[in-house]
Amino acid sequence: MKRIGLFGGTFDPVHIGHIVAAEYVLDACGLERVLFVPTRIPPHKGAPDTPAEDRFHMVEVAVADRPGLGVSRVELDREGPSYTVDTLRYLRTRHPDVRFAWIIGADQLLGFPMWKSPEEIVSLADLIAVVRPGYNEHKGMDFVRKQFPRAALEVVEMPRLEVSSSELRARLEAGRTVSVLVPQAVQELIRAKGLYKRAGRVR
């Protein structure tokens, strides 16, 4: 059975931290592929200011030359909030021969029981927790294992990369450089589309 990782997020914009996390998971867990799943509307937030199609295309160009990485439109093409359980139901129905793994930040584990239908999520997919240096994942891991004893939960450690999409948006809007932090192809798309241009320009 093929095993595919699913990496959800707004990716507004996608950055090198996302790419590194996906590649570490791909290698460490022996997955066939990792698919980025851009969220249409985060369940507990409003819709991102950046249009869904632009966020999709940024991910598309970011992974175009990276073997094993891809992008899915599954949440962008569905109306309403993007609940993980709905995505997994849809994918499992259409790909019964695939074993899916949902990639989650280790710092999100304590909040996982608050997600919509967490019991069903762990029945539909494995969980892969990405851990950054300096974060003690054991509390979250132990909590999830106690709450969901049948959950298949793996941990993948990645290097420290101090970068966030909100910080990058602020830099872009102020006309400051995002060189190295954002893949070159994504920077070029941001320039071409005039994204994040409220207060400046992309350099």
Side-chain angles (χ1 to χ4, degrees):
M1 181 176 283
K2 294 187 295 186
R3 193 162 181 244
I4 292 177
L6 302 170
F7 189 6
T10 54
F11 305 116
D12 186 22
V14 64
H15 55 67
I16 194 64
H18 296 133
I19 302 296
V20 170
E23 292 191 330
Y24 266 66
V25 168
L26 180 72
D27 179 63
C29 299
L31 304 180
E32 181 157 326
R33 297 190 78 197
V34 169
L35 296 178
F36 285 71
V37 184
T39 302
R40 182 184 183 89
I41 303 175
H44 305 297
K45 302 177 183 178
D49 290 335
T50 308
E53 288 301 318
D54 290 330
R55 292 185 288 111
F56 175 83
H57 289 308
M58 282 191 282
V59 177
E60 190 175 43
V61 299
V63 303
D65 60 349
R66 295 181 180 271
L69 303 187
V71 57
S72 169
R73 296 186 57 90
V74 63
E75 293 190 350
L76 299 183
D77 292 341
R78 187 174 69 237
E79 296 295 329
S82 302
Y83 289 107
T84 298
V85 69
D86 294 334
T87 299
L88 290 172
R89 287 171 183 161
Y90 177 91
L91 291 173
R92 281 291 299 272
T93 298
R94 284 153 182 76
H95 305 281
D97 59 332
V98 173
R99 181 180 172 189
F100 290 104
W102 193 266
I103 300 166
I104 181 174
D107 56 346
Q108 296 179 287
L109 290 174
L110 290 175
F112 178 71
M114 307 289 287
W115 292 24
K116 179 182 177 182
S117 305
E119 287 276 9
E120 187 175 356
I121 290 174
V122 299
S123 74
L124 293 170
D126 302 338
L127 293 180
I128 298 175
V130 177
V131 182
R132 293 169 178 80
Y135 181 81
N136 184 346
E137 81 280 7
H138 295 294
K139 185 175 181 180
M141 295 277 294
D142 293 344
F143 179 69
V144 168
R145 285 178 171 142
K146 182 177 180 179
Q147 294 284 316
F148 310 99
R150 295 186 180 181
L153 179 58
E154 298 173 72
V155 175
V156 174
E157 295 186 7
M158 64 172 286
R160 180 184 296 277
L161 292 169
E162 299 296 343
V163 54
S164 72
S165 291
S166 58
E167 176 190 354
L168 291 173
R169 288 195 299 274
R171 293 182 68 87
L172 288 164
E173 289 170 6
R176 299 174 65 191
T177 182
V178 294
S179 178
V180 180
L181 301 176
V182 174
Q184 182 63 36
V186 176
Q187 294 180 53
E188 292 172 1
L189 182 59
I190 289 172
R191 290 192 191 96
K193 301 279 268 183
L195 302 176
Y196 312 109
K197 205 174 180 181
R198 292 181 191 171
R201 65 183 187 283
V202 180
R203 294 190 292 169

